[in-house]
Amino acid sequence: MSNLDRQPALSTCGGRGFVVAEPVRELLSPRTVTLGESTEVRRLLPNLGRRMVGAWCFVDHYGPDDIADEPGMAVAPHPHSGLQTVSWLHEGEVLHRDSVGSLATIRPRELGLMTSGRGISHSEESPRPHARFLHGAQLWVALPDAHRDVDPHFQHHADLPQVSAPGLTATVILGTLDTATSPGTAYSPIVGADLALAAGTETRLPLNPDFEYAVLSMSGEAHVDGVPLLPGAMLYLGCGRTDLPLRAISDAGLMLLGGEPFEEEIVMFWNWIGRSQEDIAQAREDWMNGSRFGDVKGYDGPPIPAPELPPTRLKPRGRTR
C-alpha cells in the first residue's frame, strides 16, 4: 500500500532538527486517506508535528475492515525509489507483484519487505477469494544515501524471531530487539517489532537509549509509559530510554518503531524519496516515460500516473527542540 494522494505535498524530512534528545510523550493524531477502490487508512507519518522516527518515514494503519462482499485492497502498479516498504498484517492477505518478477501472498505476521533502491514498481491487492477481514500497517524506511541506489529486490519472511515475557510476545519485524534479530535486510540501525499483550499484563520492554522511538496501537487498549493508547493512534517517545513501561487493559496489539535519528535530510513526494527536488522531478519523468521502474506483470489494470509536482520550491526547514 502506498501514497495515492493525487495532490501530495513535497516535503523535507530527516535531519536532527526535529529529534527530541530526551524521553517525551507526544501523541500523534492520524489523517484519514482513501486508497484504491475501498480501503481507508489512518496516516500517522509523515505528520504535521513529526516527520520521521529513526529511518521510519511513513506509517499507515488500516482496518480491521469487513471486505467479505468488497474487492478489498486494489492498488494498481506504481513506482518507488530511495526507500523500503514494510507490509505487516494482523488479519487478511495481500498479493504482492513487482517489476523484478516477485509474486508473493503476505499473511498475518509475515514480513513483506521491498527494497526499491534506484527504482521498482509494484501492485498490491486482496487475493480472490480472500478472507473476510483486512487489518494491517504499511510502513516505509528511508534508505541512507550510501544505499539509496542499490539493486531493487523483495524479501518474504514467514518465520520471524520472537522475544517473550509473561503476557508479552514481541515479533521482531526489522532490526534487533533485545537478543533477537530479524532476517530482513536493514540498511541503518533500526528496530520494528509487533507486540502482543495479554489483558492485565504489566511489563517493561528493553530499549536502546541511542534510538528514538514511537509506538503505534493496532488493537485493544494499552497504556504506554502511562499514556492510554487506542487503535490508530501513535505515541512518540523521544530518545534516552533504557526501557518502556507497558500495561494492557485488554488484549492489545502494538507496533514498536525506532532507530538512530536519521541525520540526512530527505525530500519526499508521492512514492519517491530523494535528496533534492531535482531527484523527484527526474523520478517522475522516468515513471511517466516508462523507463527505470520496469513493468508489473499480471495485474489487471493500468499503472497509476504520477501527480503533478507543485510549482513552488521547497523552503528550508525550521528547527525545534
Side-chain angles (χ1 to χ4, degrees), residues 61 88-90 109 135-137 167-170 193-199 215-224 229-234 246-256:
H61 172 244
W88 189 252
L89 291 169
H90 276 195
R109 292 176 173 82
H135 181 205
L168 167 68
T169 300
D194 182 270
L195 312 179
L197 291 162
V215 171
L216 168 67
S217 175
M218 296 286 287
S219 61
E221 182 180 356
H223 289 193
V224 178
L229 208 57
L230 295 175
M234 177 182 280
L246 300 171
R247 181 164 69 94
I249 308 305
S250 65
D251 288 352
L254 306 171
M255 291 188 74
L256 175 75

Side-chain angles (χ1 to χ4, degrees), residues 26-221:
E26 183 181 298
L27 192 62
L28 305 180
S29 298
R31 176 170 64 94
T32 301
V33 179
T34 301
L35 300 184
E37 297 178 13
S38 59
T39 303
E40 187 176 85
V41 306
R42 292 164 288 281
R43 183 153 298 162
L44 284 308
L45 288 180
N47 192 288
L48 184 62
R50 181 66 45 198
R51 295 292 184 181
M52 298 180 71
V53 178
W56 300 99
C57 60
F58 182 96
V59 177
D60 277 352
H61 172 244
Y62 56 92
D65 296 323
D66 188 339
I67 59 170
D69 300 316
E70 303 288 342
M73 187 181 295
V75 182
H78 57 279
H80 288 282
S81 60
L83 58 90
Q84 294 177 288
T85 65
V86 175
S87 298
W88 189 252
L89 291 169
H90 276 195
E91 295 180 272
E93 305 89 22
V94 172
L95 178 62
H96 166 97
R97 305 175 193 267
D98 64 41
S99 57
V100 299
S102 309
L103 177 64
T105 300
I106 311 302
R107 297 180 174 86
R109 292 176 173 82
E110 297 180 354
L111 172 61
L113 177 64
M114 185 179 75
T115 300
S116 67
R118 64 177 177 271
I120 196 171
S121 57
H122 74 138
S123 64
E124 295 162 292
E125 59 187 312
S126 296
R128 296 176 179 80
H130 54 66
R132 177 175 180 177
F133 292 101
L134 181 63
H135 181 205
Q138 178 75 26
L139 312 99
W140 296 357
V141 178
L143 290 171
D145 190 61
H147 300 289
R148 66 184 176 112
D149 290 324
V150 299
D151 292 340
H153 59 276
F154 178 77
Q155 296 172 275
H156 179 203
H157 296 287
D159 295 313
L160 295 169
Q162 295 182 332
V163 175
S164 61
L168 167 68
T169 300
T171 301
V172 184
I173 302 167
L174 200 62
T176 298
L177 178 67
D178 197 20
T179 58
T181 299
S182 166
T185 302
Y187 292 90
S188 58
I190 196 170
V191 65
D194 182 270
L195 312 179
L197 291 162
T201 298
E202 291 193 44
T203 190
R204 303 181 80 90
L205 192 69
L207 299 182
N208 182 338
D210 294 329
F211 282 14
E212 61 177 339
Y213 289 95
V215 171
L216 168 67
S217 175
M218 296 286 287
S219 61
E221 182 180 356

